[in-house]
């Protein structure tokens, strides 16, 4: 029983390394190729996990599987997946393609499916909702965090990587270093964020990272570590709860809201592309579908119909959905 307990504590990758012959060598080579080609550590972790899963499923390396075995496994993932984005399925296909290329195998002959991108419109908050999310949290740290994510259109990794040296208060600019695609960019802080950040730094006295991990007694830890991704996500979800926001939002929703509000305020799409750090203009164009430019087009045609009485009889507690 003790052995079973220890086995359960192992990760998928660790289990594959212990049980599948040759997996450790493949995994190390895979890591080396990913990182040498400029891939992110998160990509390596996500892809590596799926390589471990398929190796455990067949107790063989993915490079030794037949076409039918790969098809069967992908079908199995499709059947069990209940995620809208089918993340596990996509990561499996992408990781297999990468490994096949790495070993010079013809992955096209294995008929890996083409992944169609699902184009969903982003969830966007109103200006009232954003103001509430900034104002409601009790901790100054969380208020400044949310204000930065929205006010500068930052990704989660970008806000976590801010150092004091990245803040230029004389020019009211933030230097975003090594964003997605390892690109640097500058974004304006504006007056409100500049004042808030100066106050935040006076109160918390961070030494290196703008958002270091803080001990409960309020003293920065001796080892200066940046705020965790989970901590940022928790702060956003808690703020949404405090505000009674029912929309399905996450950290990236503040970035979507930043871009949409800029469009609605008259900023041109090219400037927004640069502020967001997008490579392709087409990526930024999605915000044209959610921005509301002209207030006179906010009505529905039903507003112009005469004689419509939707609420007629509601005092009798009629349940229209029972009809």
């Amino acid at each position: 029983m003790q052995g079973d307990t220890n086995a359960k504590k192992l990760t998928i990758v660790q289990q594959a390394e212990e049980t599948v012959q040759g997996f450790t060598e493949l995994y190390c080579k895979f890591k080396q190729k990913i990182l040498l080609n400029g891939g992110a550590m998160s990509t390596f972790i996500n892809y590596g996990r799926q390589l471990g899963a398929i190796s455990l499923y067949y107790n063989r390396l993915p490079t030794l599987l037949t076409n039918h075995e790969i098809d069967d496994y992908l079908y199995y993932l499709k059947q069990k997946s209940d995620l809208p984005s089918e993340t596990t399925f996509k990561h499996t296909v992408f990781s297999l393609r990468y490994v096949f290329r790495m070993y010079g195998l013809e992955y096209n002959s294995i008929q890996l499916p083409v992944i169609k991108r699902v184009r969903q419109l982003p969830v966007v908050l109103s200006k009232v909702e954003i103001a509430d999310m900034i104002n409601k949290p009790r901790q100054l740290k969380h208020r400044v965090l949310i204000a930065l994510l929205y006010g500068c259109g930052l990704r989660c990794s970008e806000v976590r990587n801010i150092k004091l040296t990245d803040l230029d208060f004389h020019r009211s600019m933030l230097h975003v270093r090594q964003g997605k695609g390892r690109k640097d960019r500058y974004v304006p802080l504006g007056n409100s964020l500049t004042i808030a950040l100066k106050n935040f730094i006076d109160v918390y006295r961070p030494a290196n990272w703008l958002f270091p991990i803080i001990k409960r007694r309020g003293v920065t830890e001796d080892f200066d570590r940046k705020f965790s991704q989970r901590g940022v996500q928790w702060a956003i979800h808690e703020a949404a709860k405090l505000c009674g926001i029912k929309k399905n939002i996450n950290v990236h929703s503040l970035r979507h809201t930043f871009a949409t509000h800029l469009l609605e305020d008259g900023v041109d799409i090219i400037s927004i592309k640069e502020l967001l750090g997008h490579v392709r203009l087409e990526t930024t164009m999605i915000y044209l579908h959610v921005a509301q430019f002209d207030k006179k087009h906010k009505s529905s045609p039903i507003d112009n119909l005469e004689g419509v009485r939707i609420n007629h009889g509601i005092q009798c507690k009629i349940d229209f959905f029972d009809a």
Side-chain angles (χ1 to χ4, degrees):
M1 291 297 291
Q2 185 65 35
D4 293 340
T5 303
N6 291 334
K8 291 179 181 178
K9 294 179 181 179
L10 296 177
T11 65
I12 289 175
V13 169
Q14 289 170 335
Q15 292 178 50
E17 288 181 320
E18 285 199 355
T19 60
V20 181
Q21 185 176 2
F23 182 81
T24 300
E25 180 184 352
L26 179 144
Y27 189 69
C28 290
K29 185 176 180 180
F30 179 70
K31 179 179 181 180
Q32 184 184 60
K33 288 291 185 182
I34 286 274
L35 299 184
L36 284 177
N37 289 331
M41 180 60 72
S42 58
T43 300
F44 159 67
I45 292 172
N46 290 329
Y47 287 11
R49 186 183 300 119
Q50 304 315 321
L51 291 176
I54 191 171
S55 298
L56 285 171
Y57 190 84
Y58 286 112
N59 197 29
R60 293 204 314 282
L61 294 179
T63 51
L64 301 178
L65 300 177
T66 66
N67 296 12
H68 292 302
E69 286 173 325
I70 291 177
D71 284 344
D72 287 345
Y73 184 75
L74 293 176
Y75 179 72
Y76 157 74
L77 291 181
K78 275 284 190 182
Q79 294 297 105
K80 66 176 286 193
S81 176
D82 57 355
L83 298 175
S85 62
E86 296 183 318
T87 304
T88 300
F89 181 83
K90 291 193 295 185
H91 285 171
T92 300
V93 172
F94 294 152
S95 63
L96 288 173
R97 286 177 180 167
Y98 204 102
V99 165
F100 294 148
R101 288 198 302 268
M102 187 173 75
Y103 282 95
L105 301 175
E106 291 293 333
Y107 69 88
N108 287 330
S109 65
I110 305 182
Q111 300 295 317
L112 288 177
V114 175
I115 303 295
K116 294 183 179 180
R117 295 189 64 183
V118 178
R119 300 296 293 179
Q120 294 180 324
L121 291 179
V123 175
V124 173
L125 297 164
S126 69
K127 290 187 176 182
V128 172
E129 289 171 326
I130 280 290
D132 280 348
M133 284 191 64
I134 294 173
N135 293 334
K136 290 285 180 70
R138 290 178 298 171
Q139 292 191 44
L140 174 62
K141 176 174 65 175
H142 293 162
R143 296 198 298 272
V144 172
L145 174 71
I146 294 169
L148 260 178
L149 285 165
Y150 165 71
C152 295
L154 302 179
R155 301 177 177 93
C156 182
S157 60
E158 292 170 347
V159 79
R160 292 176 55 234
N161 285 329
I162 297 175
K163 294 184 176 181
L164 297 183
T165 52
D166 298 328
L167 299 168
D168 186 343
F169 290 136
H170 294 291
R171 298 170 58 229
S172 290
M173 299 292 286
L174 169 65
H175 189 176
V176 181
R177 298 182 186 273
Q178 299 295 286
K180 190 173 183 180
R182 300 199 171 185
K183 290 177 58 181
D184 283 17
R185 70 183 188 278
Y186 278 98
V187 292
L189 289 170
N191 293 330
S192 299
L193 273 176
T194 298
I195 295 170
L197 284 167
K198 286 181 178 179
N199 183 49
F200 172 81
I201 292 170
D202 286 341
V203 172
Y204 281 88
R205 299 288 181 183
N208 184 20
W209 305 103
L210 179 62
F211 296 108
I213 295 177
I214 307 295
K215 286 185 177 180
R216 289 187 178 181
R217 64 174 181 269
V219 180
T220 307
E221 293 185 341
D222 294 334
F223 49 98
D224 191 20
R225 293 193 298 155
K226 58 188 177 183
F227 207 24
S228 69
Q229 178 178 338
R230 185 172 295 181
V232 176
Q233 293 168 340
W234 181 89
I236 299 304
H237 292 150
E238 286 301 304
K241 284 182 187 178
L242 283 173
C243 299
I245 296 174
K246 303 301 182 184
K247 296 176 182 177
N248 185 23
I249 67 169
N250 52 36
V251 179
H252 217 68
S253 301
L254 303 188
R255 179 172 158 88
H256 293 320
T257 303
F258 162 84
T260 304
H261 288 180
L262 284 181
L263 268 178
E264 293 175 343
D265 289 342
V267 179
D268 65 275
I269 194 76
I270 301 297
S271 297
I272 294 173
K273 169 185 173 292
E274 297 303 316
L275 290 172
L276 291 171
H278 285 164
V279 175
R280 299 167 63 247
L281 181 60
E282 290 79 2
T283 307
T284 317
M285 295 283 284
I286 191 172
Y287 299 111
L288 292 171
H289 297 285
V290 292
Q292 297 181 349
F293 298 103
D294 195 340
K295 292 183 179 180
K296 69 182 181 181
H297 292 307
K298 286 187 178 180
S299 63
S300 165
I302 197 172
D303 295 336
N304 299 320
L305 295 180
E306 296 183 3
V308 174
R309 297 182 297 167
I310 297 176
N311 288 331
H312 176 66
I314 199 167
Q315 65 271 19
C316 300
K317 297 183 179 180
I318 296 174
D319 189 350
F320 296 103
F321 297 101
D322 286 341

